[in-house]
Amino acid sequence: MSIQVTMCELEDQPKDLIKVTYEKLSTDEVAESVKSPSCGAVSMFIGTTRNHFEGKKVVRLEYEAYIPMAEAEIKKICRGIRNRWPAIHHINIHHRLGLVNVTEASVIIAISGPHRNESLEAVKYCIDTLKATVPIWKKEIYDNEEYIWKENKECQWAKNN
């Protein structure tokens, strides 16, 4: 008995895609990258810059990171997702660095799986864990050019202070 594997099946092996970049993020690119004929769900989270925070007018955000360390932590999140939800197929996590204007995406997460529940739960876990563990720092810049470095309340090192 022989088993035939088509090229399509080989190309559709589960994959983890990670990008930490200074380039603008593309929702379409991230969504397309996780589509699979074996999956009935693609779930996404898109985090964008809002124009206000606690009564102050926000004009942009600025993100900084040591990219190799950030990517290593994001890989751990992917492993965590695969351990918790083994049916998850593709994972794609893009995070922007540098200046991010109002309405632009700072983070895009897309996860595909056979059913919506697993992919939706995995997306929530992904963004919550990313904010708590990945060393990416955010500066919020206001219309008067004042700024503040922000800590995520989920962030582990902020909880220890």
Side-chain angles (χ1 to χ4, degrees), residues 14-159:
K15 59 187 175 228
D16 299 342
L17 304 166
I18 297 167
K19 186 176 186 181
V20 179
T21 181
Y22 286 90
E23 300 169 10
K24 282 190 176 185
L25 304 183
S26 167
T27 303
D28 290 341
E29 175 189 335
V30 176
E32 285 297 318
S33 70
V34 299
K35 287 184 178 178
S36 169
S38 65
C39 294
V42 171
S43 299
M44 294 186 70
F45 172 81
I46 305 163
T48 61
T49 301
R50 65 178 167 264
N51 66 1
H52 68 281
F53 183 77
E54 294 182 352
K56 295 180 182 175
K57 184 176 179 185
V58 176
V59 293
R60 66 187 170 278
L61 300 177
E62 184 174 351
Y63 290 91
E64 291 184 8
Y66 176 59
I67 294 173
M69 187 183 294
E71 289 173 340
E73 289 300 317
I74 294 170
K75 286 177 186 173
K76 288 180 188 176
I77 294 170
C78 292
R79 286 193 299 272
I81 289 168
R82 295 201 178 283
N83 287 335
R84 283 179 114 133
W85 298 279
I88 290 302
H89 200 59
H90 298 313
I91 302 168
N92 194 341
I93 305 167
H94 286 197
H95 202 296
R96 179 127 171 238
L97 299 177
L99 297 177
V100 183
N101 292 318
V102 171
T103 72
E104 291 180 351
S106 299
V107 60
I108 303 175
I109 298 166
I111 298 177
S112 61
H115 305 286
R116 71 179 177 272
N117 284 342
E118 294 94 343
S119 63
L120 287 167
E121 290 170 4
V123 166
K124 182 178 182 336
Y125 167 86
C126 185
I127 188 60
D128 290 346
T129 307
L130 185 147
K131 290 177 76 73
T133 65
V134 178
I136 296 176
W137 298 278
K138 175 173 72 173
K139 180 167 57 172
E140 199 168 70
I141 303 164
Y142 307 107
D143 63 343
N144 61 4
E145 291 305 313
E146 289 181 8
Y147 64 87
I148 187 167
W149 285 98
K150 306 289 288 202
E151 284 185 339
N152 291 319
K153 21 178 216 245
E154 304 91 346
C155 167
Q156 291 176 346
W157 52 89
K159 289 180 183 177

